[in-house]
Amino acid sequence: MAYPRSPGAFPAPLLAPLLAAMLLLTGCGGAGGRTAEVRDAAVAFREGLRTRDAAATCALLAPATRDTLESSEGKPCVTVIAGEELPVAGPVRRVDVYGNQGRTVFDGDTLFLSRFPDGWKVVAAGCTPDPGRPYTCVVEGG
C-alpha cells in the first residue's frame, strides 16, 4: 500500500518508531531522566548527612517519614536527624526507578525514594537487606 505524503515527509509506518527513538534519546519523560533525579536526590540527602546540614537533609525527607521521625522523638527533624545512626555510604552502585518509586544503592547504604510534586524525597534510609524481610531501615515513614 502506498502512503500519500508531501515531499520530505516521513512514511507513516516509520513516524511512530522515529518519535519513540527521539524521546528516548532526549530523555523526555523517559526513565533516564528519572534515574538521574532519583540519584541526585539520594546523593544530596547523603551529602546533607555528611556535612551535618540537618535542614537540607530534613527537606529531602518525605512528609510521612519526617513526621514519623519527629513524633518518635517529640522533637523537630533538624534535632532528631543529627542523632540518627545512619551508615556511612560510599559511591552509588545502582539506581532503580519504577514509576514514582526509586531505590539508590550505595556502598554501605540503600535509600528508597518517592516522587512528590516538589521532587524526589527519601521515604527510607539506612536500609540493609534482611533475610526475614526485604529491608530493615533506620529511618522510615509510618
Side-chain angles (χ1 to χ4, degrees), residues 55-134:
T57 304
C58 289
L60 288 165
L61 286 173
T65 304
R66 189 174 45 249
D67 290 348
T68 299
L69 191 65
E70 291 176 339
S71 66
S72 70
E73 297 290 325
K75 299 176 185 171
C77 179
V78 293
T79 303
V80 178
I81 198 72
E84 290 297 318
E85 294 187 23
L86 291 162
V88 175
V92 173
R93 291 189 314 168
R94 179 181 180 139
V95 178
D96 302 302
V97 180
Y98 305 97
N100 291 325
Q101 306 299 313
R103 176 181 72 161
T104 302
V105 179
F106 293 87
D107 278 341
D109 192 9
T110 298
L111 302 181
F112 291 92
L113 299 94
S114 290
R115 185 164 55 178
F116 289 84
D118 59 339
W120 289 90
K121 303 287 184 178
V122 174
V123 295
C127 302
T128 54
D130 183 343
R133 298 176 31 187

Side-chain angles (χ1 to χ4, degrees), residues 14-58:
L14 297 179
L15 191 56
L18 180 62
L19 288 174
M22 287 172 54
L23 286 174
L24 286 174
L25 290 173
T26 61
C28 294
R34 289 189 319 233
T35 299
E37 292 169 358
V38 169
R39 182 192 62 240
D40 292 349
V43 167
F45 180 83
R46 293 301 315 179
E47 183 65 11
L49 290 171
R50 187 187 71 74
T51 62
R52 301 185 187 277
D53 186 344
T57 304
C58 289

